[in-house]
Amino acid sequence: MRVKHALHRVVVTVLLLLLLPACSSQQTPSARPSSLAVARSAPTPVGETPIAPGKGQLAIGLWRWTSPELHRGQLSAWDAGDASGAHIYLRDGSSQREVISAKEPLYVAEWWPQDNGLLVWHWWGYCNSCNADGVRLAALKLDGRLTDLANVDTQAGGYSWSRSGHRLLIGTGGDRFVIFGDARVLICDFPEVSCSTLQAPPGELDLTPAWSPDDRFITFARGRAPEPELNINAAVAAWQDRLGLWIARADGTGQQLLDTPGGSYPTWSADGRSIYFVHAGRRWRHDLYTGDNTDTGQVTTGQPGRGWVNYSSGSNKP
């Protein structure tokens, strides 16, 4: 199904995408990110293959992640629920212990890349309508300390680890229609678990962030929310095609507007030379060095915020 058509549905299912420090000063937009391109060394061409999506991105609480690094894969974590509430357990060989318990649902999302903690979906109780407007993404250290990071709207972009595993981009949002949710991009540092908001002009919404393969830059979509219409789903679909695509340094500074026909869900090519994005239900490529925009001819499939439209940058996920 095309992305544009898929936006006509409200995301109420519990199968959310698993995917995204210092605040920056707004920079004057330019047609091409020349200063950023010059600051980056010339890439070694490795083809135009897009970054492959991470594994296990469609289920919450259904995956039993196993660490590839600690104890040669013997460390595992899982969630469970009973009459007393929600629980997350950790097993190391023959030893098992409870990491945390709560009255509201908790679901394991995945390991931090360094395996010293977990990302956890933290529901707003058992209120289906509340959770349809976004679910909290939380950082859980193995000593039981839980830190809520942000409310995540899947259409705002989910989250993405940097390749180093020390930083996390989060597309936040507090409404199922995105445009009412004050969508913002957070840049979080790990293992300290501290986050800052990517600075945006008043009234502008930031969505669908992604890391460059070398962790030096980020890209995201930005735009002013449209006026509410009777057919809100159609309004959101058209709005996402008009969003501007931006690039910035990893700390959010040096923000520059890319010269594209507009779109959303930007992702990087594996060589860091190009940015792919979704426009009018098709996949486009923007060359950061020449400024050329190319319609790849690929028709997008899956709902926004799912499948291929949010890639990791190759972090060592389990």
Side-chain angles (χ1 to χ4, degrees):
M1 179 183 296
R2 296 183 177 221
V3 169
K4 188 171 181 179
H5 292 169
L7 283 170
H8 292 199
R9 298 181 179 177
V10 176
V11 181
V12 294
T13 176
V14 299
L15 298 181
L16 305 175
L17 173 67
L18 297 186
L19 304 165
L20 308 158
C23 294
S24 65
S25 298
Q26 181 65 27
Q27 305 293 320
T28 302
S30 62
R32 296 179 183 176
S34 56
S35 63
L36 292 181
V38 171
R40 179 167 64 243
S41 60
T44 300
V46 293
E48 299 298 326
T49 304
I51 303 167
K55 297 180 180 179
Q57 294 188 345
L58 292 181
I60 296 176
L62 302 180
W63 295 94
R64 301 298 178 256
W65 294 100
T66 300
S67 162
E69 298 180 8
L70 289 184
H71 308 288
R72 297 184 180 179
Q74 296 304 307
L75 189 67
S76 58
W78 67 95
D79 52 74
D82 55 31
S84 64
H87 311 269
I88 292 178
Y89 297 95
L90 184 69
R91 179 186 293 276
D92 179 1
S94 60
S95 174
Q96 177 177 313
R97 65 181 175 89
E98 181 181 88
V99 180
I100 193 173
S101 63
K103 292 183 178 180
E104 64 274 10
L106 294 170
Y107 298 102
V108 173
E110 64 170 321
W111 286 95
W112 301 357
Q114 298 82 20
D115 298 327
N116 54 4
L118 298 162
L119 285 183
V120 173
W121 294 109
H122 189 189
W123 281 27
W124 299 101
Y126 293 88
C127 170
N128 289 334
S129 61
C130 302
N131 293 314
D133 286 331
V135 178
R136 288 170 291 181
L137 183 67
L140 176 62
K141 293 189 175 182
L142 299 187
D143 61 6
R145 286 179 289 174
L146 183 75
T147 303
D148 284 324
L149 303 174
N151 201 52
V152 175
D153 183 318
T154 57
Q155 294 189 56
Y159 66 85
S160 175
W161 284 105
S162 65
R163 180 181 293 272
S164 69
H166 293 294
R167 309 188 87 181
L168 184 72
L169 286 174
I170 306 177
T172 73
D175 187 271
R176 68 198 70 180
F177 293 110
V178 182
I179 60 175
F180 301 126
D182 193 30
R184 292 286 177 260
V185 169
L186 294 186
I187 305 173
C188 300
D189 288 320
F190 283 73
E192 295 83 3
V193 191
S194 61
C195 300
S196 60
T197 304
L198 183 70
Q199 185 174 341
E204 298 284 312
L205 303 181
D206 289 347
L207 310 126
T208 58
W211 290 103
S212 67
D214 60 7
D215 289 354
R216 297 178 60 194
F217 303 97
I218 62 176
T219 184
F220 56 94
R222 169 179 288 170
R224 183 174 296 274
E227 292 297 323
E229 298 180 12
L230 183 61
N231 188 341
I232 186 63
N233 292 304
V236 171
W239 173 70
Q240 288 203 330
D241 275 342
R242 297 193 302 269
L243 290 173
L245 299 179
W246 290 70
I247 188 174
R249 299 184 182 92
D251 61 359
T253 61
Q255 298 179 19
Q256 295 184 21
L257 177 65
L258 300 178
D259 186 11
T260 70
S264 57
Y265 298 99
T267 58
W268 295 77
S269 63
D271 59 10
R273 181 186 179 93
S274 303
I275 290 178
Y276 291 85
F277 59 96
V278 176
H279 175 73
R282 296 167 71 89
R283 200 164 187 237
W284 288 63
R285 182 177 67 246
H286 174 80
D287 190 306
L288 290 169
Y289 290 80
T290 67
D292 294 336
N293 296 295
T294 305
D295 183 348
T296 68
Q298 293 175 292
V299 177
T300 59
T301 59
Q303 296 181 4
R306 295 179 180 273
W308 66 269
V309 291
N310 279 293
Y311 299 122
S312 69
S313 59
S315 61
N316 56 334
K317 291 184 177 183

